[in-house]
Amino acid sequence: MAHRPKRNFRQRAADSSDSDGAEESPAEPGTSREFAAPGPAEEGPPSGEGRAQVAGRPHRVRGPRGRGRVWATSRRATEAAPRADEGSGVQESRTVDVSTDEEDEIHHSLESKDDQGLSSDSSSSLGEKELSSAVEIPDAAFIQAARRKRELARVQDDYISLDVEHASTISGMKRDSEDDPESEPDDHEKRIPFTLKPQTLRQRMVEESKNRYEETSEESQEDEKQDIWVQQQMRKAVKIIEERDVDLSHSCGSSKVKKFDTSISFLPVNLEIIKKQLNTRLTLLQETHRSHLREYEKYVQNVKSSKSTIQNLESSSDQALNCKFYKSMKIYVENLIDCLNEKIINIQEIESSMHALLLKQAMTFMKRRQDELKHESTYLQQLSHKDETSTNGNFTVDEKTQWILEEIESRRTKRKQARVLSGNYNHQEGTSSDDELSSAEMIDFQKSQGDILQDQKKVFEDVHDDFCNIQNILLKFQQWREKFPDSYYEAFISLCIPKLLNPLIRVQLIDWNPLKLDSTGLKEMPWFKSVEEFMDSSVEDSTKESSSDKKILSTIINKTVVPRLTDFVEFLWDPLSTSQTTSLITHCKVILEEHSTCENEVSKSKQDLLKSIVSRMKRAVEDDIFIPLYPKSAVENKTSPHSKFQERQFWSGLKLFRNILLWNGLLTDDTLQELGLGKLLNRYLIIALLNATPGPDVVKKCNRVAACLPENWFENSAMKTSIPQLENFIQFLLQSAHKLSRSEFRDEVEEIILILVKIKALNQAESFIGEHHLDHLKSLIKED
């Protein structure tokens, strides 16, 4: 670290002995001794040159890198303060503004202080206190410079001059010479000391404090600390000026009027600006007040809620029992879930086995029917071709076709005998389902089904009834609902129960076949009754939350029963079987009409199920309906194989037509009319009727077709024309009536008119009656 070189005190004293004594300044109040080192807040800037406004006089502050200026009105005084430049030791001059009055006060106080003796510490302290009560100068550099000047004067003359005017003159001349760089003496004019004068204890202490100050100022080079120091000195200067003015006014006994600096400009202020600021402040205060009120209300509500909770907890004496119940319920539900997760794989395997067995049986019936239809049609076609081209009566049939035809005839004979025994004499050939199995096949099927049902019974044989009996499980949740309804509904148990009961219900549905007339209905099943009882027990509670329990049954049906029913429709149902169709419709009505409280979920399941039904019936119309057309010569003989085969196929198509229209009420009218009338009646049945000879048999078939049509399609009394899809059927009826009116079967015309009236073809019936002058039949139209 660079130190400033020692100064030539003799030469300094010779040049400005008088002025130095006049420009001395006492120590700042608060220091115990006049040679005390300056405190941290009073240390000079680490680098650069600074000025501060002191005693109301212009005092320019210039920090490091030459920052701004502050000006005030006063006269100017200068003071030479040697300062070492870092690393060079060059002395610089520092200007400080001091008033003449303050110089006189400082000079007289220093003279009185010298008269009392410099060695007395007590008198020195007293003088410092008296002087500090008059003037307080915060600039540390100014104080240090005054101290050095005083020491130099004492070293040279061992006294302080009392000639104020002379000292002032010398001091002014010295300042002028310092301001003018050309007035500096040359180096050869300066006196060069070769020996050092012994220093006193006070001088050594001053030198040490000066060295410490210089070392400290050189180490502090940070801009941030410099800025902080400048700001502190500025605040001190303003504060000290105000205090000094007050003290001086009291000490002099005369009040001095402080001049106002008119050069300072302020923003214009009027009433509107003040009013606007006050309104803005008032708005902010009001918003703050409102936010505090909201917080206060919130805290008050929290306090009330906490007090209520505390009272409830203190008043309840059965908290231990409640906790025990919740723990037991938690353990029970966890064990139930673990049990069902372990058994669900076994349940799925049993379901798959039963489904595969029923699917195998259904595919057997379907394949056999299609194969028999194919072989019989081929045989009759070959027989017709032989009659047309061959003259000899020999006709050979392959063994497989012959065996199939014999088997078909054998089953028909058995069914006919069974109908005779049961007293059914109105049966038409071709309307039977032909779903008989051979004895061997029946035994094998029953054995496989029995094994699956045995596995079904073994699923929960090692499980306690509390975990496999639906009634016991629901009883647990019913106790929860009765004891703690709030927690029961908050836990959404109504949504959990269908999922918990799903595996148990699926086990009971393994033996359920909705395609059999003798199958157990859903309402008779144990699980159905248990769920209904659980729902009925919640009727007493009429709260909004209790309504969720009323949807449990519908949710179970949608999530568990409807998907299983959809599988039966897609893979196992035979639309040509009237018994299967009737049983399926019965179960669908129970599911889709009586238990559809949860409309959104039911509509989704209902749509999927109905789409499967429509798709299966379309496939049946395309794959299973075949009505061949033979020459009239071949079908005129009712005992011929061609006539019998055509009759059987017509009645089979009419059976499917009736089964399709049985879905009236579950399927839309447009869907049924498209399937039954558009695809089946107009495409197959009408063609077969047109190929037949008009007579009682044709009228009978038309009556059967009209009987299959739903009555609600023709309930509108204002209808004069039938639905568009029946136009072909109406034209066939009119054509048959024209032919019969000219034949021996004139009585059959009345039956045709009744059919037209039934299907609301009133305009066509009136036209026909008027055309053929059948006035006795007009009463049929009026009665309708």
Side-chain angles (χ1 to χ4, degrees):
M1 178 181 296
H3 297 282
R4 38 189 296 197
K6 296 182 179 181
R7 300 185 52 181
N8 190 340
F9 294 101
R10 296 180 181 274
Q11 182 179 359
R12 181 67 178 172
D15 294 337
S16 58
S17 60
D18 296 336
S19 60
D20 291 343
E23 295 175 357
E24 285 182 339
S25 175
E28 184 178 349
T31 56
S32 60
R33 300 178 64 86
E34 61 182 356
F35 53 83
E42 300 175 359
E43 292 180 0
S47 62
E49 184 179 28
R51 296 182 180 181
Q53 181 178 353
V54 179
R57 289 155 182 79
H59 188 70
R60 182 175 60 185
V61 177
R62 183 176 62 191
R65 303 176 183 86
R67 296 177 180 172
R69 300 179 178 180
V70 178
W71 296 93
T73 58
S74 66
R75 71 181 183 84
R76 185 166 179 243
T78 59
E79 177 189 12
R83 181 185 178 91
D85 195 3
E86 285 187 356
S88 62
V90 180
Q91 295 182 357
E92 297 178 353
S93 63
R94 179 173 179 175
T95 61
V96 178
D97 297 327
V98 183
S99 63
T100 305
D101 296 335
E102 291 176 6
E103 289 179 358
D104 296 340
E105 291 174 0
I106 294 171
H107 184 74
H108 289 297
S109 63
L110 289 176
E111 288 177 350
S112 62
K113 185 176 180 181
D114 290 337
D115 293 339
Q116 293 176 1
L118 298 176
S119 62
S120 176
D121 294 338
S122 60
S123 57
S124 176
S125 300
L126 180 60
E128 290 174 357
K129 290 181 181 180
E130 293 175 355
L131 187 59
S132 62
S133 62
V135 179
E136 293 182 2
I137 299 176
D139 194 349
F142 179 85
I143 297 173
Q144 293 294 337
R147 288 176 179 174
R148 287 194 295 273
K149 290 177 183 179
R150 186 172 57 217
E151 292 298 329
L152 290 174
R154 289 173 179 171
V155 170
Q156 182 178 3
D157 299 329
D158 198 22
Y159 75 95
I160 298 176
S161 175
L162 298 178
D163 190 0
V164 176
E165 295 180 356
H166 179 68
S168 301
T169 304
I170 296 175
S171 177
M173 294 175 62
K174 182 176 180 59
R175 285 196 300 270
D176 295 337
S177 63
E178 289 177 352
D179 291 339
D180 189 5
E182 296 181 357
S183 63
E184 290 290 336
D186 297 336
D187 293 340
H188 66 278
E189 296 178 358
K190 295 180 180 180
R191 184 180 299 173
I192 301 175
F194 294 95
T195 59
L196 296 177
K197 185 178 181 178
Q199 294 181 347
T200 63
L201 177 62
R202 186 182 299 277
Q203 292 175 345
R204 287 196 301 272
M205 294 177 66
V206 169
E207 187 69 23
E208 289 178 359
S209 63
K210 179 180 64 176
N211 293 336
R212 285 195 300 270
Y213 164 74
E214 291 177 355
E215 293 176 357
T216 304
S217 63
E218 291 175 358
E219 292 177 356
S220 175
Q221 297 295 334
E222 296 181 2
D223 294 341
E224 183 178 359
K225 294 183 179 180
Q226 172 66 17
D227 295 340
I228 296 173
W229 180 83
V230 171
Q231 294 176 3
Q232 290 177 350
Q233 298 305 316
M234 290 294 295
R235 288 193 296 268
K236 285 184 177 181
V238 173
K239 181 178 180 181
I240 292 171
I241 288 171
E242 294 177 354
E243 294 178 356
R244 185 186 58 80
D245 291 341
V246 173
D247 293 339
L248 290 176
S249 62
H250 287 292
S251 62
C252 296
S254 61
S255 60
K256 297 181 179 180
V257 178
K258 185 177 181 180
K259 295 183 179 180
F260 180 74
D261 189 4
T262 58
S263 62
I264 301 175
S265 61
F266 297 96
L267 294 176
V269 179
N270 53 27
L271 185 60
E272 293 296 331
I273 295 176
I274 296 174
K275 183 178 179 181
K276 184 177 180 181
Q277 293 179 352
L278 290 175
N279 289 333
T280 303
R281 180 61 177 169
L282 179 61
T283 303
L284 294 176
L285 292 176
Q286 289 176 350
E287 292 179 356
T288 305
H289 179 65
R290 284 193 294 268
S291 65
H292 290 170
L293 286 179
R294 288 194 295 269
E295 293 180 0
Y296 174 76
E297 293 175 357
K298 180 180 178 181
Y299 295 149
V300 170
Q301 188 66 26
N302 292 338
V303 170
K304 291 181 179 179
S305 177
S306 301
K307 289 181 179 180
S308 176
T309 303
I310 293 172
Q311 292 177 358
N312 293 335
L313 293 176
E314 290 177 351
S315 61
S316 59
S317 60
D318 54 349
Q319 291 300 318
L321 297 177
N322 297 345
C323 182
K324 183 178 180 181
F325 173 80
Y326 283 122
K327 286 184 178 180
S328 63
M329 198 67 192
K330 178 177 179 293
I331 295 172
Y332 172 77
V333 172
E334 290 176 351
N335 294 334
L336 177 61
I337 294 174
D338 293 340
C339 174
L340 296 177
N341 288 335
E342 184 178 351
K343 298 295 183 180
I344 190 65
I345 299 176
N346 193 13
I347 295 172
Q348 291 175 351
E349 292 177 354
I350 297 174
E351 282 182 335
S352 300
S353 300
M354 180 62 75
H355 182 76
L357 180 63
L358 297 176
L359 180 61
K360 179 181 178 181
Q361 185 186 46
M363 294 302 294
T364 299
F365 293 149
M366 186 179 300
K367 187 176 185 303
R368 187 178 68 182
R369 182 172 63 238
Q370 293 178 353
D371 290 343
E372 290 175 354
L373 178 63
K374 178 181 178 181
H375 284 88
E376 191 171 4
S377 175
T378 304
Y379 167 74
L380 293 175
Q381 186 177 2
Q382 292 176 357
L383 185 60
S384 299
H385 183 70
K386 176 257 178 186
D387 292 338
E388 294 176 358
T389 60
S390 179
T391 56
N392 56 9
N394 295 328
F395 177 70
T396 58
V397 182
D398 60 282
E399 295 182 357
K400 183 177 181 181
T401 302
Q402 185 66 31
W403 179 79
I404 291 175
L405 293 176
E406 291 177 357
E407 186 179 358
I408 293 172
E409 192 63 29
S410 174
R411 289 200 304 273
R412 287 173 185 165
T413 303
K414 291 180 180 179
R415 288 196 296 269
K416 186 176 182 180
Q417 292 174 357
R419 287 193 297 270
V420 170
L421 293 175
S422 62
N424 185 8
Y425 299 100
N426 296 325
H427 181 76
Q428 296 291 336
E429 290 291 339
T431 57
S432 61
S433 300
D434 195 14
D435 53 359
E436 296 86 0
L437 292 173
S438 62
S439 59
E441 291 175 342
M442 182 61 69
I443 293 172
D444 185 34
F445 175 80
Q446 291 177 354
K447 181 179 181 303
S448 299
Q449 187 179 28
D451 294 340
I452 294 174
L453 296 179
Q454 288 296 325
D455 294 338
Q456 173 196 6
K457 295 178 181 179
K458 295 179 181 179
V459 173
F460 292 107
E461 66 178 1
D462 58 342
V463 179
H464 195 272
D465 288 343
D466 289 342
F467 299 94
C468 64
N469 190 302
I470 294 178
Q471 186 174 5
N472 294 347
I473 294 173
L474 293 177
L475 183 61
K476 292 281 188 179
F477 289 100
Q478 184 176 350
Q479 293 175 356
W480 185 0
R481 183 176 61 191
E482 293 175 354
K483 291 183 178 180
F484 311 102
D486 294 338
S487 62
Y488 173 85
Y489 292 115
E490 289 176 359
F492 299 99
I493 301 302
S494 60
L495 301 178
C496 302
I497 288 178
K499 296 181 180 180
L500 290 175
L501 301 183
N502 178 269
L504 302 174
I505 295 174
R506 288 167 61 181
V507 171
Q508 297 186 24
L509 293 177
I510 290 176
D511 192 26
W512 179 61
N513 190 346
L515 303 179
K516 289 184 177 181
L517 290 175
D518 58 348
S519 62
T520 305
L522 292 176
K523 293 184 178 181
E524 286 75 27
M525 290 186 175
W527 67 267
F528 194 95
K529 297 178 180 179
S530 300
V531 174
E532 277 191 332
E533 292 177 359
F534 179 78
M535 292 172 56
D536 294 339
S537 62
S538 65
V539 175
E540 299 177 358
D541 188 3
S542 60
T543 59
K544 182 179 179 181
E545 291 80 2
S546 63
S547 61
S548 60
D549 285 348
K550 299 177 183 178
K551 301 178 182 179
I552 292 176
L553 182 58
S554 62
T555 304
I556 291 174
I557 291 175
N558 294 329
K559 300 296 185 182
T560 306
V561 180
V562 173
R564 183 168 178 80
L565 191 61
T566 304
D567 291 339
F568 273 95
V569 170
E570 291 181 355
F571 303 105
L572 305 178
W573 174 44
D574 182 12
L576 286 173
S577 174
T578 302
S579 61
Q580 292 186 12
T581 303
T582 303
S583 179
L584 183 62
I585 290 173
T586 302
H587 289 90
C588 287
K589 286 183 178 180
V590 173
I591 292 173
L592 302 178
E593 291 182 356
E594 297 185 12
H595 301 283
S596 59
T597 55
C598 188
E599 296 181 358
N600 293 332
E601 295 183 359
V602 170
S603 62
K604 179 65 170 62
S605 302
K606 180 179 179 180
Q607 290 176 2
D608 295 340
L609 177 59
L610 296 181
K611 286 179 181 179
S612 301
I613 293 171
V614 173
S615 176
R616 182 66 186 92
M617 290 192 296
K618 286 182 179 180
R619 193 166 70 248
V621 172
E622 296 172 356
D623 298 342
D624 298 329
I625 300 302
F626 173 70
I627 301 178
L629 298 178
Y630 299 111
K632 290 186 177 182
S633 59
V635 297
E636 285 178 355
N637 185 6
K638 300 300 181 181
T639 61
S640 65
H642 299 83
S643 178
K644 291 182 179 180
F645 181 70
Q646 190 181 54
E647 287 294 312
R648 286 195 300 268
Q649 291 305 115
F650 174 83
W651 290 108
S652 177
L654 185 60
K655 180 182 180 181
L656 179 59
F657 179 75
R658 181 178 67 250
N659 292 342
I660 290 175
L661 297 181
L662 287 176
W663 289 97
N664 179 46
L666 295 177
L667 298 178
T668 61
D669 293 342
D670 294 337
T671 302
L672 293 178
Q673 291 173 8
E674 179 186 358
L675 281 175
L677 304 181
K679 292 184 177 296
L680 188 53
L681 177 62
N682 295 332
R683 187 178 298 180
Y684 294 100
L685 301 181
I686 293 297
I687 295 176
L689 291 173
L690 290 173
N691 194 43
T693 303
D697 292 339
V698 173
V699 176
K700 180 181 178 180
K701 292 176 181 177
C702 291
N703 271 322
R704 296 292 292 272
V705 170
C708 296
L709 298 174
E711 295 181 357
N712 63 326
W713 289 2
F714 314 102
E715 289 179 351
N716 189 0
S717 59
M719 289 179 63
K720 293 294 184 180
T721 57
S722 184
I723 57 180
Q725 288 84 350
L726 290 176
E727 186 63 29
N728 293 335
F729 182 59
I730 293 171
Q731 293 299 325
F732 172 75
L733 290 175
L734 293 175
Q735 182 180 355
S736 300
H738 281 292
K739 292 180 180 180
L740 291 175
S741 63
R742 296 189 297 266
S743 66
E744 55 183 351
F745 304 107
R746 302 186 67 176
D747 296 338
E748 302 298 332
V749 175
E750 184 176 353
E751 293 293 333
I752 294 175
I753 297 299
L754 290 175
I755 295 173
L756 291 173
V757 172
K758 180 179 180 180
I759 62 177
K760 293 297 181 179
L762 301 180
N763 293 335
Q764 292 85 344
E766 290 177 356
S767 299
F768 179 82
I769 291 173
E771 181 181 354
H772 292 83
H773 306 287
L774 302 174
D775 296 337
H776 63 283
L777 297 179
K778 290 183 179 180
S779 60
L780 298 176
I781 300 175
K782 294 179 179 179
E783 290 177 1
D784 183 72

